Coordinates of all heavy atoms in Angstrom, one line a residue:
V8 N 0.8 -1.2 0.0 CA 0.0 0.0 0.0 C 0.9 1.3 0.0 O 0.3 2.4 0.1 CB -1.0 0.0 1.2 CG1 -2.0 -1.2 1.0 CG2 -0.4 0.0 2.6
S9 N 2.2 1.1 -0.1 CA 3.1 2.3 -0.2 C 2.8 3.4 0.8 O 2.5 4.5 0.3 CB 3.0 2.8 -1.6 OG 3.4 1.7 -2.6
P10 N 3.0 3.2 2.0 CA 2.7 4.3 3.0 C 3.6 5.5 2.7 O 4.8 5.3 2.4 CB 3.1 3.6 4.4 CG 3.0 2.2 4.2 CD 3.4 1.9 2.7
A11 N 2.9 6.6 2.8 CA 3.6 7.9 2.6 C 4.0 8.4 3.8 O 3.4 8.4 4.8 CB 2.7 8.9 1.8
D12 N 5.2 9.2 3.8 CA 5.6 10.0 5.1 C 4.5 10.9 5.5 O 3.8 11.6 4.7 CB 6.9 10.9 4.8 CG 8.1 10.0 4.5 OD1 8.0 8.7 4.6 OD2 9.2 10.6 4.2
G13 N 4.2 10.8 6.8 CA 3.2 11.7 7.4 C 1.9 11.2 7.5 O 1.0 11.7 8.2
E14 N 1.6 9.9 6.9 CA 0.4 9.3 7.1 C 0.1 8.8 8.4 O 1.2 8.6 9.2 CB 0.2 8.2 6.0 CG -0.2 8.7 4.6 CD -0.7 7.5 3.7 OE1 0.2 6.6 3.5 OE2 -1.9 7.4 3.5
R15 N -1.1 8.4 8.8 CA -1.3 7.7 10.0 C -1.6 6.2 9.8 O -2.2 5.9 8.8 CB -2.6 8.4 10.7 CG -2.2 9.8 11.0 CD -3.5 10.6 11.5 NE -3.8 10.2 12.8 CZ -3.3 10.7 14.0 NH1 -2.5 11.7 13.9 NH2 -3.7 10.4 15.1
F16 N -1.3 5.4 10.7 CA -1.5 4.0 10.7 C -2.3 3.6 12.0 O -2.0 4.1 13.1 CB -0.2 3.3 10.7 CG -0.3 1.8 10.8 CD1 -0.5 0.9 9.8 CD2 -0.3 1.2 12.2 CE1 -0.7 -0.4 9.9 CE2 -0.3 -0.2 12.3 CZ -0.6 -1.0 11.2
V17 N -3.2 2.7 11.8 CA -4.1 2.3 12.9 C -4.2 0.7 12.8 O -4.5 0.2 11.7 CB -5.5 2.8 13.0 CG1 -6.4 2.3 14.1 CG2 -5.4 4.4 12.9
D18 N -3.9 0.0 13.9 CA -4.1 -1.3 13.9 C -5.2 -1.7 14.9 O -5.2 -1.5 16.0 CB -2.8 -2.0 14.5 CG -2.8 -3.6 14.6 OD1 -3.8 -4.2 14.2 OD2 -1.8 -4.2 15.1
L19 N -6.3 -2.3 14.3 CA -7.5 -2.7 15.0 C -7.3 -4.0 15.6 O -7.4 -5.1 14.8 CB -8.8 -2.6 14.1 CG -8.9 -1.3 13.4 CD1 -10.0 -1.3 12.5 CD2 -9.1 -0.1 14.4
G20 N -7.3 -4.2 16.9 CA -7.0 -5.5 17.6 C -5.5 -5.7 17.5 O -5.1 -6.8 17.0
S21 N -4.7 -4.8 18.1 CA -3.3 -4.9 18.0 C -2.6 -5.9 18.8 O -1.3 -6.0 18.6 CB -2.8 -3.4 18.3 OG -3.1 -2.9 19.5
G22 N -3.2 -6.6 19.7 CA -2.7 -7.7 20.5 C -1.4 -7.2 21.2 O -1.4 -6.2 21.8
T23 N -0.2 -7.9 21.0 CA 0.9 -7.6 21.7 C 1.7 -6.5 21.0 O 2.9 -6.4 21.4 CB 1.9 -8.9 21.9 OG1 2.1 -9.4 20.5 CG2 1.1 -9.9 22.7
G24 N 1.2 -5.9 20.0 CA 1.8 -4.8 19.3 C 2.8 -5.1 18.1 O 3.4 -4.1 17.7
K25 N 2.8 -6.3 17.7 CA 3.7 -6.7 16.6 C 3.6 -5.8 15.3 O 4.5 -5.3 14.8 CB 3.8 -8.2 16.3 CG 4.5 -8.9 17.3 CD 4.5 -10.5 17.1 CE 5.2 -11.1 18.1 NZ 5.3 -12.6 17.8
A26 N 2.3 -5.7 14.9 CA 2.1 -5.0 13.6 C 2.3 -3.6 13.8 O 2.9 -2.8 12.9 CB 0.7 -5.3 13.1
V27 N 1.8 -2.9 14.9 CA 1.9 -1.4 15.0 C 3.4 -1.2 15.2 O 3.9 0.0 14.7 CB 1.0 -1.0 16.1 CG1 1.5 -1.3 17.5 CG2 0.9 0.6 16.1
L28 N 4.1 -1.8 15.8 CA 5.5 -1.5 16.0 C 6.3 -1.8 14.8 O 7.3 -1.1 14.5 CB 6.1 -2.4 17.3 CG 5.6 -1.9 18.7 CD1 5.9 -2.9 19.8 CD2 5.7 -0.6 19.0
T29 N 6.0 -2.9 14.1 CA 6.7 -3.1 12.8 C 6.3 -1.9 11.9 O 7.3 -1.4 11.2 CB 6.1 -4.4 12.1 OG1 6.4 -5.5 13.0 CG2 6.7 -4.7 10.8
A30 N 5.1 -1.5 11.7 CA 4.7 -0.2 10.9 C 5.6 1.0 11.4 O 6.0 1.6 10.6 CB 3.3 -0.1 11.0
A31 N 5.6 1.1 12.7 CA 6.3 2.3 13.2 C 7.8 2.2 13.0 O 8.4 3.3 12.9 CB 6.1 2.4 14.7
A32 N 8.4 1.1 12.9 CA 9.8 0.8 12.6 C 10.2 1.0 11.2 O 11.3 1.5 10.8 CB 10.3 -0.5 13.1
L33 N 9.3 0.7 10.3 CA 9.5 0.7 8.9 C 9.2 1.8 8.1 O 9.7 2.2 7.0 CB 8.8 -0.6 8.2 CG 9.2 -1.9 8.6 CD1 8.4 -3.0 7.9 CD2 10.7 -2.2 8.3
H34 N 8.1 2.7 8.6 CA 7.6 3.8 7.8 C 7.6 5.1 8.8 O 7.4 5.0 9.9 CB 6.3 3.5 7.3 CG 6.3 2.4 6.3 ND1 6.8 2.5 5.0 CD2 6.1 1.1 6.5 CE1 6.8 1.4 4.4 NE2 6.4 0.4 5.3
R35 N 7.7 6.3 8.1 CA 7.6 7.6 8.8 C 6.1 8.0 9.0 O 5.8 9.1 8.4 CB 8.5 8.5 8.0 CG 9.9 8.2 8.0 CD 10.7 9.4 7.4 NE 12.0 9.0 7.3 CZ 13.0 9.0 8.3 NH1 12.6 9.3 9.4 NH2 14.2 8.7 8.0
F36 N 5.4 7.3 9.7 CA 4.0 7.6 9.9 C 4.0 8.8 10.9 O 4.8 8.9 11.8 CB 3.2 6.5 10.5 CG 2.9 5.4 9.6 CD1 3.6 4.2 9.7 CD2 1.9 5.5 8.6 CE1 3.2 3.2 8.7 CE2 1.7 4.5 7.7 CZ 2.3 3.3 7.8
S37 N 3.1 9.8 10.9 CA 3.0 10.8 11.8 C 2.6 10.2 13.1 O 3.0 10.7 14.2 CB 2.0 11.9 11.3 OG 0.7 11.4 11.2
C38 N 1.8 9.1 13.1 CA 1.3 8.4 14.2 C 0.9 6.9 13.9 O 0.3 6.8 12.8 CB 0.0 9.1 14.9 SG -0.4 8.4 16.4
A39 N 1.4 6.1 14.6 CA 1.0 4.7 14.5 C 0.3 4.3 15.8 O 0.9 4.3 17.0 CB 2.3 3.8 14.4
T40 N -0.9 3.8 15.6 CA -1.8 3.6 16.8 C -2.2 2.2 16.8 O -2.6 1.5 15.8 CB -3.1 4.4 16.8 OG1 -2.7 5.8 16.8 CG2 -3.9 4.1 17.9
G41 N -2.1 1.4 17.9 CA -2.7 0.1 18.2 C -3.8 0.2 19.2 O -3.7 0.9 20.1

């Protein structure tokens, strides 16, 4: 989905945080929320 710098990311049902932390580590989201 080619995340752009400054976009926001939301993980619905984020569990132990693996997806939200992976997203936050790989892309320059303005905010990554789980």
Side-chain angles (χ1 to χ4, degrees):
V8 300
S9 304
D12 289 356
E14 279 193 293
R15 298 176 73 87
F16 173 83
V17 180
D18 180 2
L19 305 175
S21 55
T23 61
K25 286 184 180 179
V27 70
L28 295 175
T29 298
L33 294 176
H34 298 280
R35 294 186 187 282
F36 288 108
S37 64
C38 187
T40 301

